Each structure stands twice: as C-alpha cells, then as structure tokens.
C-alpha cells in the first residue's frame, strides 16, 4: 500500500481543521441561543409577575448580600452623658442649625436631603424627622430664617444659595418648597459658612479665599468684605446681628459692623475691632448668645475667652478674660462652640470633644471617638443644656454637665450676697434645679 503524497496530506489536514471550526461555531451558536432564551424567559417571568427560577434568584441574593457588605456600618458610641442619637440620614452630615424658637434642629447631608427634627422628641427613644429633598444636588450648609418659616442651604454642585419655604399641613407636618430661583453665583472659591441675621436684614456667605459677601434677602450683593488674611477658615454673624467676624491665616479675629439706617436701609460695613493675642493662625471662634463674649482657638495650642462688650468707636479694645491650653489645636484643625451663657466651651478635634469651664479654665468632660468621621459641626441648643455634634450619619446630643455645675457655683456665690428674701428664693430655686439635674445624671459632686 502506497503512502499518500505530501500535497494530499496537507489537503486532508486543512479539511479536518475546517470541519472542526464549523463544529465549534455551531456549538457556540447553540449556547448563545440557549442563553438568550433563558434571559428572555426570565425577563418575561419578571414582567408578568412570576417568580424567577432558583438560579436567577440565588444570583440576585448574592448581589444584594455583596451590596450590604460594602455599605459602611453605622458608628456605635455610648456614654453616660449621651442624651440622644439622631440617625435618619443615609449620608454623612455636614451641618446643623437650631431654630431661634428652640423647637427644631435642621441637618443636611450628602444624601440629598435636609431633615427637620423636633427638639421635644429628643428625650424619647424614637426620633422622627421631616425630610426636604434637594433636587439634583446636595446641601453642605443649612440655616433657619429668624421667623423659623424657611431655611437656607448652600448647594454643593450649584455653588449658590437656595431658599426653602416651610408650610404647615393640616396633619401638623410641613411641606418644603424651594423658591423658583437660586441666588446668583458670586464666589470664586469654596464657601465655608453662611448665616442670616436675626433681624432678617441681611445674609452672609464666606469663602475660603478672603471674601465675605453681604446680601439682601432678594439675592442682591450689598457689600464685599476682603479680610486680607490669606485665607478664611471661619466666618459668622453675631447673635445681635450687628457684627460679622472672620478668622484665618493671621493670628487674630477681625470684626466688622454691618450698619443700617433708621428706616432699615443698608448703609455700609465698617471695621469694628479685633481679637489680638494669639501667636498663630486662628482655627475657629464663636459668640455667646448676647454677643458680649467671644471665644477663639488657635494653632498656637490655646483657647481664649474675650469680653467684647466694649465701646469700639472710642477705640476701646476687647478684654482677654481667660486663656486655656488645648494642645490638639497645634497639630490639627479644631471647631469650637460657646454655650449661650459663655460658661462652657466645647472644643472638637478629630472625632473627640472636650468641655471646659470658662470661669476656671479647667477641662471637665471628654468624649472620645464620638463619630466615625471627623466632626463637621458642633453647637449648643438655645437652652445650653444640650451639646450637639455631627460628623458621620448621626447627630449625637450630650447633657451639658459643666453648664449645670457652673450654675451651681454662680448661684452659691450670689446667695451669699443676696440682699432680700425674694432674690434669695429665686437664686435658691435655680440652685436646686441645677443640683437636681446633676443628680439625675449621676454627676453631682459630693
């Protein structure tokens, strides 16, 4: 038997290879057709309300389990002085504001919502909130209007102010409606704070460069302030609505007066006074409720309390009342809150909070790792009995025990000097209330 010639062998090999390719393509087409039939059957079942087959269901369950695993867990924190934790937001909270009537707390987060909480629910186990949606954006800052019938937000992407009006429903809830037009864009750098005067006469916005804008309520710029301090780290309106202050790269706090005429018309912004005494950049400052005291914290590792009830038009400078050490401020940014009566100073660094008695300058309480992220806002309520903080998806409220102790010290001192019985009775009543509050919290010193 003769072997086939070489050309015949090559032809036979090519024929076998071609047949193998055709078989592979046929198998692939069949597999694809089967996959399409399964997909269309699954889609049809889903569209008609029938359950999917077990394999599809198991895949979906695995995907959902993976999503749940990837979702960050809520930070857990407990403390004997923790009064409440508000947890309805699904995103990190950047700002909060108590209403001037003391009835509400507004919070904004990167979940595209603003939530309004009722302060009367704080002692309860459940904390209800009303939600306002921020369409196609999210708010980074929020402030109530003086009449508590509206609130302002700063839009993260829109980089401007938006006003929401609050309308009460028959069931006691509220509806929130954004005004048709947002404020015009004016800032060239990120905005670090906003505020509205308690008189309702003007709005302030401050950016991280050196610019502070004073607006009327219609969105027109009344004045531009250049702080000339390299950058702004904080700016705020005083509770008395007379002043706007800022701090930043320089070792002082600058204060301006916003002047209006007798008929309520805007006149000018003039330099009022400065808080001078720090030796490095100022991180933050705050006013007391009557604007007669201010507190500041600096990169020099100190906090200071000032008497700002001065006649600055006669060149009188604020008085330095107290200096305290806070070493954390020398290595990281800090936030500060001053109680309404200026008796307690709260300092936040990282995720921890420190409470100081301003009369003695002593630290009285410390709350470690309060939030899963850095603390973004810190504020006392209008009564001064609670301190609120935020930084992750929760607001945490603490009992202000240093405030109650300060009242006890003050009332005991005043009782010794009381000249008549009615005054003595009033002071004794306030003393007893503060002592009972401390006793109920297990914080009464024997």
């Amino acid at each position: 038997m003769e072997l086939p010639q070489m050309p015949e062998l090559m032809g036979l090999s090519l024929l076998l290879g071609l047949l193998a390719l055709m078989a592979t393509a046929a198998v692939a087409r069949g597999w694809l057709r089967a996959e399409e039939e399964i997909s269309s059957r699954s889609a049809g079942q889903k569209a008609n309300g029938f359950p999917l087959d077990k394999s599809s269901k198991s895949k979906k369950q695995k995907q959902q389990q993976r999503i749940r695993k990837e979702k960050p867990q809520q930070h857990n924190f407990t403390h004997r002085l923790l009064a409440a934790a508000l947890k309805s937001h699904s995103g990190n909270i950047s700002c909060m504001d108590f209403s001037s009537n003391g009835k509400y707390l507004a919070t904004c987060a990167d979940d595209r919502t603003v939530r309004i909480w009722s302060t009367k629910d704080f002692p309860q186990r459940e904390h209800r909130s009303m939600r306002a949606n921020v369409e196609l954006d999210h708010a980074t800052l929020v402030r109530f209007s003086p009449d508590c019938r509206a609130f302002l937000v700063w839009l993260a992407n829109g980089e401007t102010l938006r006003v929401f009006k609050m309308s009460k429903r028959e069931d006691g809830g509220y509806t929130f409606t954004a005004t048709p037009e947002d404020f015009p864009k004016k800032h060239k750098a990120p905005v670090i704070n906003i505020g509205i005067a308690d008189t309702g006469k003007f709005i302030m916005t401050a950016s991280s460069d050196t610019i502070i804008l004073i607006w009327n309520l219609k969105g027109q710029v009344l004045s531009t302030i250049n702080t000339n301090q390299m950058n702004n780290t904080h700016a705020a309106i005083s509770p008395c609505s007379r002043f706007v202050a800022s701090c930043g790269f320089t070792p002082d706090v600058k204060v301006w007066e916003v002047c209006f005429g007798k008929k309520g018309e805007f006149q000018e912004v003039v330099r009022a006074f400065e808080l001078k005494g720090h030796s490095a950049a100022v991180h933050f400052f705050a006013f007391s409720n009557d604007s007669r005291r201010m507190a500041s914290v600096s990169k020099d590792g100190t906090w200071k309390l000032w008497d700002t009830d001065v006649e600055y038009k006669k060149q009188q400078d604020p008085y330095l009342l107290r200096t305290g050490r806070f070493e954390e401020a020398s290595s990281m940014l800090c936030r500060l809150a001053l109680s309404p009566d200026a008796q307690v100073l709260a300092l936040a660094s990282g995720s921890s909070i420190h409470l100081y008695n301003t009369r003695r300058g002593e630290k009285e309480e410390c709350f470690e790792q309060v939030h899963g992220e850095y603390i973004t806002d810190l504020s006392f309520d209008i009564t001064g009995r609670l301190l609120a903080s935020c930084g992750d998806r929760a607001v945490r409220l603490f009992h202000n025990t240093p405030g109650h102790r300060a009242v006890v010290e003050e009332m005991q001192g005043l009782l010794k000097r009381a000249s008549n019985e009615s005054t003595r009775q009033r002071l004794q009543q306030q003393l007893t209330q503060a002592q009972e509050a401390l006793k109920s919290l297990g914080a009464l010193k024997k």
Side-chain angles (χ1 to χ4, degrees), residues 1 8 43 108 150 250 288 315 321 326 353 397:
M1 182 176 179
E8 294 174 349
C108 64
T250 58
S288 64
Q315 309 304 313
L321 299 174
F326 188 61
I353 301 171
L397 298 145

Side-chain angles (χ1 to χ4, degrees), residues 102-363:
K103 292 182 178 181
Y104 304 107
L105 172 67
T107 56
C108 64
D110 58 14
D111 59 8
R112 295 187 174 183
T113 68
V114 174
R115 290 192 176 269
I116 309 296
W117 311 80
S118 174
T119 56
K120 69 179 182 181
D121 289 341
F122 289 171
Q124 309 302 321
R125 181 170 293 183
E126 298 293 328
H127 305 106
R128 297 171 299 169
S129 64
M130 298 172 287
R131 185 180 71 186
N133 295 319
V134 183
E135 298 295 337
L136 306 176
D137 212 322
H138 72 272
T140 57
L141 298 162
V142 60
R143 294 287 179 263
F144 272 111
S145 64
D147 61 5
C148 307
R149 295 179 181 176
F151 58 85
L152 304 171
V153 299
W154 183 262
L155 301 176
N157 300 322
E159 298 179 339
T160 187
L161 282 172
R162 178 173 293 173
V163 180
F164 284 83
K165 293 184 178 180
M166 301 168 58
S167 304
K168 200 162 189 176
R169 300 195 305 260
E170 292 182 359
D171 61 0
Y174 281 88
T175 55
F176 306 99
T177 308
T179 52
E181 293 184 8
D182 298 333
F183 277 38
K185 295 183 182 180
K186 294 291 183 181
H187 285 282
K188 296 180 181 179
V191 164
I192 57 172
N193 201 17
I194 63 175
I196 180 168
D198 282 353
T199 56
K201 290 183 178 180
F202 69 94
I203 292 168
M204 177 220 71
T205 57
S207 49
S208 60
D209 45 15
T210 61
I211 298 300
I212 297 174
L213 296 180
I214 306 298
W215 310 71
N216 65 15
L217 301 189
K218 296 179 180 179
Q220 299 169 331
V221 175
L222 301 175
S223 181
T224 301
I225 303 171
N226 189 340
T227 62
N228 293 314
Q229 50 192 12
M230 297 289 287
N231 68 287
N232 300 326
T233 56
H234 183 57
I237 302 174
S238 64
C240 67
S241 300
R242 285 182 62 191
F243 305 112
V244 167
S246 77
C247 64
F249 183 78
T250 58
D252 50 21
V253 179
K254 298 180 180 181
V255 184
W256 293 263
E257 182 179 5
V258 183
C259 303
F260 288 83
K262 293 181 179 179
K263 296 181 180 179
E265 74 282 6
F266 172 76
Q267 292 183 328
E268 60 180 340
V269 176
V270 296
R271 190 69 163 268
F273 55 86
E274 295 181 7
L275 306 182
K276 295 181 179 180
H278 287 292
S279 59
V282 178
H283 293 308
F284 215 84
F285 66 86
F287 289 91
S288 64
N289 196 46
D290 59 7
S291 305
R292 297 172 65 182
R293 297 287 186 272
M294 288 182 70
S296 56
V297 60
S298 166
K299 195 176 180 180
D300 63 13
T302 68
W303 60 263
K304 296 181 183 292
L305 181 70
W306 312 81
D307 179 353
T308 53
D309 187 20
V310 296
E311 296 186 59
Y312 71 89
K313 292 181 180 179
K314 295 182 179 180
Q315 309 304 313
Q316 190 176 5
D317 293 324
Y319 300 102
L320 179 61
L321 299 174
R322 178 76 59 189
T323 297
R325 294 298 305 175
F326 188 61
E327 296 296 341
E328 289 87 341
S330 60
S331 58
M332 66 175 70
L333 291 173
C334 299
R335 300 189 73 88
L336 176 154
L338 188 61
S339 64
D341 59 5
Q343 299 274 24
V344 182
L345 179 68
L347 291 163
S349 60
S351 61
S352 300
I353 301 171
H354 310 261
L355 297 183
Y356 288 81
N357 178 303
T358 58
R359 182 176 294 183
R360 298 189 309 274
E362 298 174 0
K363 184 190 291 188

